[in-house]
Amino acid sequence: MKTNATNAYLAIFLGSKTNPKMVAWNAMSEKEQQAKMKEGIAAWKAWVAKHQSAIVEMGGPLGKTKKITARSIEDVSNEMSGFTVVRADSHEAAAKMFENHPHFTNFPGESVEVMPVLQIPEA
């Protein structure tokens, strides 16, 4: 991923395993899940097409997490499920791109957090 951080924003997709939408998703039959998945992927592709010129890095789903500290490496759980990097004229404009996003309108995701990618300070 190459960005110069100017007007770049990182969007993190969040959703817990215990939220009611995820519980309901997991309670569906495999056939129902597949149908919802197909519908959701189509909606996600439509979102990508709409915002294609602003997408710097499509990103993707995130897998299991390892937390590394000065003392250890351990398996941990968090609510992050995916990411995308976009360009926008402002933080507000970047956030507005994710209003009604398929992450939570079609899938059991809970929210999207958007934050600016800052320049690395020069020494």
Side-chain angles (χ1 to χ4, degrees):
M1 168 175 58
K2 286 187 171 185
T3 79
N4 67 4
T6 305
N7 295 329
Y9 295 87
L10 173 65
I12 301 290
F13 299 94
L14 301 162
S16 73
K17 294 175 180 144
T18 58
N19 88 68
K21 288 174 69 175
M22 182 58 85
V23 171
W25 179 277
N26 289 332
M28 288 189 286
S29 71
E30 188 172 330
K31 186 176 180 180
E32 289 173 309
Q33 282 184 2
Q34 290 300 321
K36 287 281 191 186
M37 181 80 71
K38 187 175 180 179
E39 181 182 299
I41 289 172
W44 205 296
K45 285 181 178 181
W47 181 89
V48 169
K50 179 178 179 180
H51 298 287
Q52 187 172 13
S53 65
I55 296 172
V56 174
E57 170 62 47
M58 186 56 212
L62 299 173
K64 294 185 178 185
T65 303
K66 292 208 177 277
K67 180 179 179 180
I68 300 90
T69 66
R71 295 186 191 148
S72 68
I73 297 175
E74 61 184 299
D75 293 328
V76 297
S77 181
N78 60 47
E79 294 184 353
M80 291 184 277
S81 62
F83 79 100
T84 296
V85 179
V86 297
R87 283 209 193 286
D89 291 334
S90 69
H91 199 167
E92 184 70 23
K96 285 187 177 293
M97 280 187 224
F98 295 90
E99 287 182 318
N100 300 309
H101 190 280
H103 172 66
F104 45 80
T105 59
N106 295 86
F107 291 106
E110 292 178 78
S111 63
V112 179
E113 292 184 7
V114 176
M115 62 216 73
V117 177
L118 304 174
Q119 293 282 1
I120 297 173
E122 294 186 28

